[in-house]
Amino acid sequence: MSGENVSLMFKLYCLTVMTLVAATYTVVLRYTRTISSGDMYFSTTAVCLAEVIKLILSTGMLARESGSPRKLLNVIKEHVFCNPRGLLKLSVPSVVYAIQNNMIFRALSNLDAAVYQVTYQLKIPCTAVCMVVMLSRSLSKRQWFAIFMLCAGVSLVQWKPVDSAKVQIEQNPVHGFMAIIIAVFCSGFAGVYFEMVLKSSDTSLWVRNIQMYLSGIAITFMGMLVTDGEKVMEKGFFFGYTPWVCFVVFLASVGGLYTSIVVKYTDNIMKGFSAAAAIVLSTVASVILFGLHITTTFISGAALVCLSIYLYGLPKHEASTVSRERLTAANPGSKQNLVTV
């Protein structure tokens, strides 16, 4: 696989940058949506603009990889304009993520916030199951334990006291749980599907990104028209934009590119651990910047997240297997004399 051709230091670098970018993005996004003064920008335009920037950055990286404008044009023509099958293949995760976002909205409308926070973390083990089924991965018992520990840790980190105020709309818990199940499955399937596409051929990562972001732009643009179309037409696409909002869009774009790199050269489970670490870091930053109070549940959750990352990253103990293989190779006729180390 392509992931075997890069060094461990490169993988650690990508995971670290992705974690820091995600943590910074969360903090700055919170600032622009809750604290920053001035006109509120449309989140749908920011999401759409981020997809456009991702496409531009991916094209720039592909140009650098191609080496010349002529080769770049040939690659784009071959894999984008003359390859509708490839575009359709990469539109699948974009459509699934759109369904996921819609299901999250339905779940939040029909479930208490605390119930949602806990149940939505099932996306972590769901991703692991999808990897085992779709990519034929094998995970040790210790790694499965670490995954469920991460799930519990993230739930505790994000836990908030139940609001005693009465809900203003009628909730349907059955519809809420059905929506959260669909959202969890969509999250796991889309991530693993994208990883499968990236690793199933030698097609450039940047070509795959271009294919996916083209469909992403179309879907987010339609979402913007449906949600805020009239307001955007009235006030303008960049209404409410400030330097901080531009920084949010930039972080979303860079974070998206590093996410694809991490998926390409590691896997979706490592992406999940990175996202969990980003949640912890952003919460700590919120304590410093916004005066958020740290609770015992947060400390417990952060400890579980750190411990799960450590457990998952421990090397597998394969000494006995290696020893048996070496002895068998040296003396094929004496398998009955092998002693397990």
Side-chain angles (χ1 to χ4, degrees):
M1 276 189 215
S2 301
E4 298 174 353
N5 299 326
V6 298
S7 67
L8 176 62
M9 290 302 299
F10 178 77
K11 294 179 182 180
L12 291 175
Y13 158 76
C14 291
L15 284 166
T16 302
V17 173
M18 176 184 164
T19 302
L20 294 176
V21 169
T24 306
Y25 170 78
T26 301
V27 174
V28 180
L29 178 62
R30 173 182 169 83
Y31 173 78
T32 61
R33 300 301 290 184
T34 61
I35 297 177
S36 179
S37 59
D39 297 321
M40 182 61 67
Y41 63 98
F42 302 115
S43 60
T44 52
T45 63
V47 173
C48 184
L49 182 59
E51 293 295 307
V52 174
I53 295 176
K54 289 176 191 177
L55 176 63
I56 295 173
L57 292 176
S58 296
T59 304
M61 295 300 296
L62 182 60
R64 179 181 178 185
E65 187 179 84
S66 302
S68 67
R70 183 176 181 179
K71 290 182 179 179
L72 171 64
L73 292 175
N74 289 336
V75 170
I76 292 178
K77 179 180 178 181
E78 177 184 356
H79 293 282
V80 179
F81 295 110
C82 298
N83 187 15
R85 184 178 180 182
L87 286 174
L88 182 62
K89 183 185 295 186
L90 267 297
S91 68
V92 171
S94 298
V95 173
V96 174
Y97 280 132
I99 296 173
Q100 175 192 343
N101 292 332
N102 185 55
M103 289 299 104
I104 288 175
F105 176 80
R106 289 180 176 271
L108 283 169
S109 300
N110 290 284
L111 294 174
D112 291 333
V115 176
Y116 166 80
Q117 289 166 1
V118 174
T119 53
Y120 189 53
Q121 302 315 317
L122 291 174
K123 66 181 181 179
I124 300 173
C126 180
T127 298
V129 171
C130 287
M131 288 183 62
V132 171
V133 174
M134 298 170 64
L135 299 177
S136 300
R137 290 285 171 80
S138 62
L139 298 174
S140 66
K141 292 180 180 179
R142 188 193 69 245
Q143 288 177 318
W144 279 111
F145 179 72
I147 288 170
F148 281 100
M149 180 183 291
L150 179 71
C151 183
V154 174
S155 298
L156 289 175
V157 166
Q158 295 185 308
W159 182 269
K160 295 179 182 179
V162 178
D163 190 357
S164 58
K166 292 183 179 180
V167 179
Q168 299 299 320
I169 61 173
E170 184 178 353
Q171 292 183 322
N172 189 324
V174 175
H175 288 176
F177 279 114
M178 290 179 62
I180 205 69
I181 290 172
I182 296 174
V184 163
F185 175 77
C186 286
S187 176
F189 172 80
V192 176
Y193 177 88
F194 182 54
E195 179 180 349
M196 182 176 65
V197 172
L198 286 180
K199 295 180 177 179
S200 62
S201 69
D202 295 329
T203 304
S204 169
L205 168 65
W206 308 115
V207 169
R208 292 303 191 192
N209 276 346
I210 290 172
Q211 292 173 332
M212 185 172 68
Y213 295 145
L214 282 173
S215 59
I217 290 171
I219 292 173
T220 55
F221 183 76
M222 287 188 293
M224 179 196 69
L225 292 179
V226 172
T227 306
D228 299 312
E230 293 183 2
K231 296 179 181 178
V232 171
M233 291 294 292
E234 177 185 352
K235 298 183 178 180
F237 187 93
F238 295 101
F239 175 79
Y241 274 59
T242 65
W244 283 110
V245 176
C246 295
F247 189 43
V248 166
V249 175
F250 171 76
L251 289 173
S253 305
V254 174
L257 292 185
Y258 270 96
T259 297
S260 64
I261 296 173
V262 166
V263 170
K264 172 74 173 180
Y265 295 115
T266 60
D267 56 42
N268 272 278
I269 295 179
M270 292 306 299
K271 184 186 75 172
F273 277 91
S274 174
I279 291 172
V280 175
L281 289 177
S282 62
T283 305
V284 172
S286 296
V287 172
I288 300 173
L289 298 175
F290 308 128
L292 189 69
H293 295 290
I294 287 185
T295 63
T296 54
T297 54
F298 170 80
I299 295 175
S300 302
L304 286 178
V305 169
C306 295
L307 181 59
S308 65
I309 293 173
Y310 171 74
L311 288 176
Y312 188 87
L314 285 176
K316 295 181 180 179
H317 297 289
E318 300 175 340
S320 59
T321 304
V322 173
S323 299
R324 286 195 295 271
E325 289 177 351
R326 288 178 177 176
L327 287 172
T328 303
N331 194 359
S334 59
K335 291 184 179 180
Q336 66 274 17
N337 296 324
L338 294 181
V339 179
T340 301
V341 178

